[in-house]
């Protein structure tokens, strides 16, 4: 080195860095010359030993090269070709080798190699057999002790090769064959995935871009797992980390729930579906854009987004049903019955709720009526956070009115803890009950409030454990006078109305107010008051056993020559209720009439004479001071005035 270069030693900074760089370049040049000289004298096979030792050092596994080694120098890539190679498997895996190949061509990056890393730009294998395996402890045989930073393969080409994948813990076993076809690769796979039969075909470019995020890889694939079918066409970037994707996708199957093993995200149980849309991935986010979907008789469209950057995936988006058949989502919202009761008893699978968080806005423009119930529209904001599902607000248009409020299901506990605060507003009874005979009764509009909390894994269990209140108030309406006289068993009036024609009389007020405790609805207030008869109701409705034990006490407000009025009992199950008259009062009246008839036939009418003890309900007080009104006012239900 010239003497004047000594001056750099007294000055820190760039000259010192320049000297280091020059030294490094000199070392590289010497190494290249030495390698070239060795190749000229001994050929490439002399490198087999050093390469095998380097592989053992970097990966902890043996690499065997039984064929010739040929090397072509270049910068920044070193091209290596080797025949008959085998790479050892993990010591716990079953096959002795993780892969074997008749021929391997690889381009290795010089700069990374000199820094102690093995970076392979392209690895091309012919007649390869690759065995991939994951055991019950989650160990993967392709994960090397040095980690991905020590050995990196960016692009992989397989020609006339076979890949086997085994994961016994998930009942998964797949065998794929890969062949060259039309300038690219063609794949066929068979086996089982998560215990379901699997078949797949795919075609793509000549090289699989494992870690190259600069080259989109063309891909077309068709996959069947059990009843689920998925077809995609487009491009993916960086197969190892899947940095980006842009795919047209089509899917169909028996239920969304069956996608859980494929996606790892809990989806609801539904009727058979088919859907198509565009799948886009950018970074940690997947988007399903402008999708169209049919589920049973329902159709829905919208866009969804899954963000995988957090501790669990976050599903967000909007979906609008053009037509919603509630029966298609019955298992999802717990409306199916699987037993002999009336209340839905299909179970929610809360254990999977922790697999995903969600923030969705759902709505329906038209609802097909399940069993004739007149649902007219639907909208909700669904939020799932840490296994807690909230529908707030939840709104149904029903029978010209509205059912709205909040429902919360806490899946963090077993069984699920539930609460519902709902408001009933302006619902028309004649439209609520299919086939309702409005000639007999027209109750106008119903307002009310529901405030319940319980626990259970189905709607039936939650209601069977519920505590809270249920209150309903009737605003106006009319009722058949003949019906009310029949309830009171006023014989002369019944005969007269049937002969001369029925009349419609006003409903002064009606209210039902229940205190709910441990699934039993105890009547606090029950009244149906008209201008001629007042009917008081009492008793219990058991939501757990799904049985009725109610008593109706009719009281006429007008004198009646012959009245056999007696309490009316409604008992039995929800599915088969029984209505019976209490026979005691009727028998007592009949016995009294018979005894008096012995003395004088006219006296027989005295026990049957109804003097009209029934009084008008104090509707104003009832509707403003009752527990029903108090509960209703808490949720904003307006108290209707009594009908005059």
């Amino acid at each position: 080195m010239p003497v004047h270069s000594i001056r750099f030693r007294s000055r820190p900074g760039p000259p010192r860095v320049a000297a280091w760089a020059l030294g490094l370049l000199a070392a590289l040049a010497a190494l290249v010359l030495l390698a070239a000289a060795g190749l000229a004298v001994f050929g490439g096979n002399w490198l087999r030993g050093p390469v095998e030792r380097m592989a053992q050092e970097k990966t902890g596994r043996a690499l065997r090269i039984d064929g010739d080694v040929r090397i072509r120098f270049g910068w920044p890539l070193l091209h290596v070709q080797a025949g008959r190679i085998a790479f050892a498997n993990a010591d716990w895996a079953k096959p002795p080798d993780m892969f074997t190949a008749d021929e391997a061509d690889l381009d290795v990056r010089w700069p990374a190699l000199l820094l102690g890393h093995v970076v392979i730009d392209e690895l091309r294998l012919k007649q390869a057999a690759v065995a991939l395996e994951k055991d019950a402890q989650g160990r993967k045989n392709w994960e090397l002790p040095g980690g991905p930073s020590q050995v990196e393969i960016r692009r992989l080409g397989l020609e006339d090769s076979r890949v086997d994948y085994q994961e016994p813990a998930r009942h998964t076993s797949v065998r794929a064959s890969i062949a060259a076809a039309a300038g690219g690769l063609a794949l066929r796979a068979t086996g089982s995935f998560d215990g379901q039969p699997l078949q797949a075909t795919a075609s793509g470019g000549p090289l699989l871009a494992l870690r190259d995020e600069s080259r989109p890889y063309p891909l077309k694939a068709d996959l069947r797992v059990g009843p689920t079918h998925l077809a995609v066409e487009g491009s993916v970037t960086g197969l190892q980390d899947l940095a980006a994707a842009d795919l047209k996708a089509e899917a169909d199957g028996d239920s969304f729930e069956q996608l859980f093993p494929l996606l790892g995200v809990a989806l609801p149980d539904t009727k058979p579906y088919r859907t198509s849309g565009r799948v886009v991935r950018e970074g940690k986010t997947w988007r399903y854009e402008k999708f169209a979907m049919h589920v049973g008789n329902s159709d829905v469209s919208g866009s969804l987004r899954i963000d995988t950057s957090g501790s669990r995936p976050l599903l967000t988006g909007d979906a609008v049903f053009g037509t919603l058949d509630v029966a298609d989502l019955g298992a999802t919202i717990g409306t199916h019955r699987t037993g002999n009761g009336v209340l839905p008893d299909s179970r929610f699978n809360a254990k999977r709720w922790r697999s995903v968080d969600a923030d969705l806005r759902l709505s329906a423009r038209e609802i097909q009526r399940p069993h004739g119930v007149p649902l007219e529209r639907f909208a909700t904001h669904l939020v799932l956070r840490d296994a807690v599902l909230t529908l707030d607000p939840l709104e149904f248009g029903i029978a010209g009115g509205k059912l709205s409020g909040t429902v919360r299901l806490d899946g963090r506990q077993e069984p699920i803890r539930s609460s519902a605060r709902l408001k009933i507003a302006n619902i028309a009874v004649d439209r609520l009950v299919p086939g309702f005979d409005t000639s007999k009764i027209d109750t106008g509009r119903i307002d009310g409030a529901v405030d319940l909390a319980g626990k259970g894994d189905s709607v039936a269990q939650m209601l069977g454990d519920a505590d809270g209140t249920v209150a309903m108030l009737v605003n106006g309406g009319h009722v058949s006078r003949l019906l009310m006289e029949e309830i009171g068993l006023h014989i002369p009036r019944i005969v007269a109305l049937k002969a001369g024609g029925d009349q419609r009389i006003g409903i002064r007020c009606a209210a039902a107010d229940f205190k709910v405790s441990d699934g039993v609805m105890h009547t606090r207030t029950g009244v149906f008051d008209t201008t001629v008869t007042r009917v008081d109701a009492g008793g219990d409705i058991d939501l757990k056993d799904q049985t009725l034990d109610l008593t109706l006490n009719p009281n006429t407000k007008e004198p009646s020559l012959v009245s056999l009025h007696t309490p009316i009992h409604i008992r039995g199950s929800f599915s088969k209720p029984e209505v019976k008259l209490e026979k005691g009062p009727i028998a007592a009246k009949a016995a009294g009439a018979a005894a008096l008839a012995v003395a004088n036939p006219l006296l027989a009418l005295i026990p049957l004479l109804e003097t009209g003890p029934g009084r008008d309900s104090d509707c104003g007080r009832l509707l403003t001071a009752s527990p029903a009104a108090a509960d209703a006012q808490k949720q904003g239900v307006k108290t209707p005035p009594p009908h005059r």
Side-chain angles (χ1 to χ4, degrees):
M1 182 179 293
V3 175
H4 64 265
S5 65
I6 297 175
R7 287 177 296 179
F8 291 140
R9 295 179 182 176
S10 63
R11 298 178 60 193
R16 185 172 298 176
V17 174
W20 180 88
L22 289 173
L24 177 60
L25 288 175
L28 287 176
L31 182 60
V32 170
L33 291 173
L34 180 62
L39 287 175
V41 176
F42 302 105
N45 287 331
W46 75 279
L47 285 177
R48 278 188 298 192
V51 170
E52 289 174 347
R53 287 192 294 272
M54 177 181 287
Q56 180 74 45
E57 178 185 343
K58 295 297 182 184
T59 68
R61 300 191 198 174
L63 172 68
R64 301 191 313 275
I65 305 175
D66 296 328
D68 291 335
V69 176
R70 291 179 292 275
I71 296 179
R72 185 174 68 250
F73 282 94
W75 187 267
L77 299 177
L78 172 68
H79 179 75
V80 180
Q81 185 180 56
R84 299 192 306 279
I85 66 171
F87 185 66
N89 213 336
D91 54 9
W92 52 265
K94 292 180 180 179
D97 295 318
M98 191 177 84
F99 79 80
T100 62
D102 282 357
E103 183 179 314
D105 287 275
L106 57 155
D107 293 325
V108 183
R109 286 196 162 266
W110 269 110
L113 190 63
L114 295 171
L115 294 174
H117 305 306
V118 179
V119 178
I120 301 173
D121 253 26
E122 290 185 5
L123 172 60
R124 296 171 294 280
L125 301 175
K126 293 182 180 179
Q127 299 290 326
V130 182
L132 304 178
E133 187 175 350
K134 183 178 178 181
D135 70 359
Q137 288 74 44
R139 294 180 297 181
K140 305 167 185 176
N141 71 331
W142 62 90
E143 288 185 341
L144 303 175
S149 62
Q150 297 295 315
V151 179
E152 178 182 328
I153 301 174
R154 294 183 173 177
R155 293 185 295 278
L156 174 65
L158 297 170
E159 183 177 332
D160 300 326
S161 300
R162 186 182 77 247
V163 177
D164 292 335
Y165 177 76
Q166 304 293 328
E167 190 176 348
R170 290 192 61 182
H171 307 287
T172 296
S173 175
V174 180
R175 169 164 288 193
S177 61
I178 302 173
L185 299 177
L187 176 145
R188 289 186 177 274
T190 59
S192 62
F193 181 83
D194 206 51
Q196 297 282 337
L198 175 146
Q199 288 186 331
T201 60
S203 59
L207 287 172
L208 301 171
L210 299 181
R211 303 193 66 168
D212 188 346
E213 298 185 5
S214 64
R215 300 187 190 180
Y217 181 75
L219 177 66
K220 182 178 182 180
D222 190 279
L223 171 68
R224 290 187 180 274
V225 179
T228 301
H229 171 235
L230 174 65
V232 298
E233 182 173 6
S235 66
V236 295
T237 303
L239 285 180
Q240 182 168 315
D241 300 318
L242 205 56
D246 191 345
L247 301 162
K248 289 173 56 180
E250 296 180 355
D252 58 82
D254 288 347
S255 171
F256 287 156
E257 187 179 41
Q258 295 168 346
L259 292 171
F260 179 77
L262 293 173
L263 303 179
V265 173
L267 295 175
D269 185 13
T270 64
K271 292 283 186 71
Y273 67 91
R274 66 181 186 277
T275 181
S276 62
R278 181 184 178 210
V279 176
V280 178
R281 178 181 172 98
E282 294 177 347
K284 297 293 185 179
T285 300
W286 288 91
R287 301 196 307 274
Y288 190 32
E289 297 181 338
K290 299 180 180 179
F291 69 83
M293 185 182 304
H294 293 272
V295 183
N297 296 321
S298 305
D299 65 270
V300 59
S301 60
S303 293
L304 300 174
R305 180 176 180 267
I306 298 180
D307 185 346
T308 61
S309 62
S311 58
R312 64 171 64 91
L314 172 62
L315 173 64
T316 59
D318 299 88
V320 178
F321 287 86
T323 300
L324 171 61
D325 186 343
V326 175
D328 293 334
L329 304 179
T332 304
I333 59 178
T335 60
H336 281 342
R337 289 189 296 111
T338 58
N340 296 321
V342 172
L343 298 177
D345 60 357
S346 57
R347 298 174 69 87
F348 296 102
N349 190 354
K351 292 181 179 179
R352 290 186 174 179
W353 291 1
R354 290 186 182 274
S355 68
V356 64
D357 288 338
D359 191 324
L360 300 170
R361 294 191 180 274
L362 309 174
S363 61
R365 292 190 290 263
E366 178 183 346
I367 299 181
Q368 293 186 3
R369 302 179 179 185
H371 309 297
V373 176
L375 296 172
E376 296 158 356
R377 63 188 182 281
F378 159 76
T380 190
H381 181 199
L382 182 154
V383 175
L384 177 62
R385 287 281 189 278
D386 192 23
V388 178
L389 176 64
T390 304
L391 303 176
D392 182 20
L394 171 65
E395 181 177 316
F396 280 99
I398 178 170
K402 184 169 67 174
L403 175 67
S404 60
T406 301
V407 174
R408 186 176 187 269
L409 303 178
D410 188 344
R412 296 172 298 182
Q413 307 177 65
E414 294 185 9
I416 299 170
R417 299 302 195 267
S418 63
S419 63
R421 292 181 59 85
L422 302 172
K423 181 171 67 175
I424 303 167
N426 208 34
I427 292 179
V429 177
D430 57 338
R431 294 175 58 184
L432 180 65
V433 181
F436 191 84
D437 186 357
T438 56
S439 66
K440 295 292 185 181
I441 183 171
D442 169 17
T443 57
R445 301 285 174 164
I446 293 181
D447 297 303
V450 176
D451 188 355
L452 296 175
K455 60 180 182 293
D457 293 330
S458 69
V459 173
Q461 290 179 1
M462 293 172 187
L463 291 175
D465 180 76
D467 296 314
T469 57
V470 176
M472 288 178 287
L473 307 173
V474 173
N475 180 11
H478 298 83
V479 65
S480 159
R481 177 163 187 164
L482 176 60
L483 175 63
M484 299 307 296
E485 301 293 4
E486 287 174 336
I487 291 174
L489 294 179
H490 303 141
I491 307 302
R493 293 181 191 164
I494 294 173
V495 173
L497 289 169
K498 285 189 174 182
D502 196 5
Q503 303 171 8
R504 289 168 63 85
I505 57 176
I507 299 172
R508 299 190 68 255
C509 62
D513 171 33
F514 299 93
K515 177 68 175 179
V516 185
S517 178
D518 195 24
V520 178
M521 299 174 62
H522 306 280
T523 305
R524 295 191 295 194
T525 300
V527 63
F528 189 85
D529 192 17
T530 72
T531 55
V532 298
T533 301
R534 166 176 167 159
V535 180
D536 294 301
D540 297 334
I541 300 174
D542 193 325
L543 300 175
K544 184 178 298 181
D545 296 334
Q546 301 188 43
T547 57
L548 302 164
D549 186 5
L550 299 171
T551 299
L552 308 181
N553 287 295
N555 293 284
T556 186
K557 297 181 180 180
E558 299 176 354
S560 176
L561 183 60
V562 178
S563 174
L564 298 176
H565 84 277
T566 185
I568 301 170
H569 299 292
I570 303 175
R571 292 170 178 159
S573 66
F574 288 1
S575 59
K576 294 182 179 179
E578 298 178 355
V579 180
K580 293 183 178 180
L581 301 178
E582 189 171 318
K583 298 178 180 179
I586 296 177
K589 289 187 177 184
L596 292 174
V598 174
N600 186 331
L602 293 178
L603 297 178
L605 296 177
I606 294 177
L608 306 180
L609 183 65
E610 178 61 70
T611 58
R615 297 170 298 162
D616 286 346
S617 299
D618 186 351
C619 293
R621 180 197 62 79
L622 177 68
L623 298 180
T624 57
S626 70
D631 293 333
Q633 289 172 358
K634 288 179 183 178
Q635 297 195 38
V637 179
K638 295 181 179 179
T639 302
H643 182 81
R644 299 294 182 186

